[in-house]
Amino acid sequence: MEKLHPFLVPGSWLLQGQYFPAQGPTQNVLGTTEVKAHEEFPETLRVVGEVRDAEDTTSRPVATEFTLDLVAPGLIRFHMNSIPLGTVLLGTGAWNRELLQFHYGSPERRILGVESYAVSGSDVLLTSGVMFADGVAVTWWLARLERVR
């Protein structure tokens, strides 16, 4: 059996990183990410995250939730119902034990994004991504995830 990428193994992660919006200053963020396997279909993973402004302890967290389906060795399918964007995001990706990468878009291709998760030591991942709206990059991010033991 092929060894899974660490992000595809159910567990909890602490996040620390930065968002780089096209409009506005860099934002330091803190958060959590929980990866859970579906009870009946363990090849379907639900990823629930929450990030907030690290500088403002009264800031409201921003929640995200998406699913990753392990559809074949080294291949995934991405699905997110994005309330803030008002659309569904669908995509595909690939992984090996060192790198997980996927891309997604809205049905009319107005919103596009790409994310990667690279292994950076025992229980540590570096994640980065960029999201486009109408062909313009609107935000980038770079964060460190550390598995909670």
Side-chain angles (χ1 to χ4, degrees):
M1 182 174 140
E2 188 170 5
K3 183 175 173 167
L4 289 174
H5 183 278
F7 195 72
L8 300 176
V9 176
S12 298
W13 300 85
L14 295 178
L15 178 144
Q16 182 177 5
Q18 294 181 309
Y19 281 130
F20 307 96
Q23 306 294 322
T26 297
Q27 183 180 22
N28 294 317
V29 294
L30 295 172
T32 59
T33 300
E34 182 84 26
V35 179
K36 299 177 184 178
H38 189 282
E39 282 184 33
E40 295 175 50
F41 305 104
E43 66 279 4
T44 296
L45 301 171
R46 189 169 135 237
V47 180
V48 179
E50 190 174 90
V51 296
R52 66 173 180 78
D53 186 331
E55 314 297 323
D56 180 2
T57 56
T58 64
S59 66
R60 288 186 64 161
V62 176
T64 60
E65 183 175 334
F66 58 89
T67 59
L68 296 174
D69 290 308
L70 304 174
V71 294
L75 297 176
I76 59 167
R77 186 173 48 234
F78 173 95
H79 178 265
M80 173 190 262
N81 294 324
S82 178
I83 302 301
L85 296 175
T87 189
V88 65
L89 299 173
L90 302 170
T92 59
W95 61 269
N96 61 31
R97 71 177 74 181
E98 299 298 324
L99 185 63
L100 164 65
Q101 193 162 35
F102 52 87
H103 61 89
Y104 46 83
S106 57
E108 77 290 346
R109 311 301 287 163
R110 210 183 124 260
I111 305 292
L112 298 171
V114 63
E115 298 186 25
S116 65
Y117 296 78
V119 174
S120 179
S122 178
D123 294 328
V124 174
L125 301 176
L126 296 179
T127 181
S128 62
V130 61
M131 184 172 286
F132 298 86
D134 298 320
V136 176
V138 292
T139 191
W140 297 259
W141 58 92
L142 177 61
R144 180 181 190 274
L145 292 170
E146 185 169 349
R147 186 179 288 280
V148 176
R149 289 285 177 191

